[in-house]
């Protein structure tokens, strides 16, 4: 497989992941962090970092809007309830495991 095709396939997979996460607003970022060690905000950070490596300045808010499909503050109001004590405990335990 040539590099251009590989890049196109990776980009298509990324777009599908972002679309899937936009549809699954029931899946909370904290749950993604507990189970996978990353969330929508991580994807936005990685996107912004990749842009920076290409000399393209994108703000944190702009990167998040590209991932969420709307301003993060709007998405958060509509879809993100307060974390439960159980979620916070699981998050803290997951952080301990990932940071040794």
């Amino acid at each position: 497989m040539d590099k251009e095709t590989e890049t196109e396939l990776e980009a298509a997979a990324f777009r599908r992941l972002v679309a899937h996460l936009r549809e699954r607003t029931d899946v909370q970022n904290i749950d993604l962090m507990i189970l996978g060690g990353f969330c929508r905000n991580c994807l936005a950070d990685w996107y912004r970092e990749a842009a920076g490596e290409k000399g393209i300045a994108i703000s944190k808010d702009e990167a998040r809007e590209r991932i969420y499909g709307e301003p993060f503050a709007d998405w958060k109001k509509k879809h993100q309830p307060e974390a439960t004590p159980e979620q916070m405990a699981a998050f803290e335990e997951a952080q301990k495991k990932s940071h040794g």
Side-chain angles (χ1 to χ4, degrees), residues 14 27 51 68 72 85:
F14 175 79
V27 178
Y68 286 91
F72 176 59

Side-chain angles (χ1 to χ4, degrees), residues 16-94:
R16 188 164 180 185
L17 171 62
V18 169
H20 180 76
L21 290 172
R22 285 181 184 176
E23 290 173 14
R24 291 298 311 269
T25 57
D26 60 308
V27 178
Q28 296 299 301
N29 281 334
I30 194 166
D31 295 322
L32 291 169
M33 288 297 295
I34 291 165
L35 296 172
F38 80 100
C39 69
R40 293 167 180 91
N41 292 335
C42 296
L43 285 176
D45 290 343
W46 300 338
Y47 186 93
R48 186 170 44 88
E49 289 167 9
E53 290 171 8
K54 296 285 190 186
I56 302 166
I58 296 177
S59 73
K60 186 176 187 175
D61 288 337
E62 289 171 323
R64 284 185 174 184
E65 189 165 340
R66 290 179 184 269
I67 300 302
Y68 286 91
E70 64 184 310
F72 176 59
D74 295 346
W75 188 93
K76 189 174 177 179
K77 284 178 193 172
K78 289 191 257 184
H79 305 293
Q80 185 171 306
E82 286 293 319
T84 65
E86 294 81 11
Q87 286 172 314
M88 290 305 298
F91 176 73
E92 290 170 12
E93 188 64 30

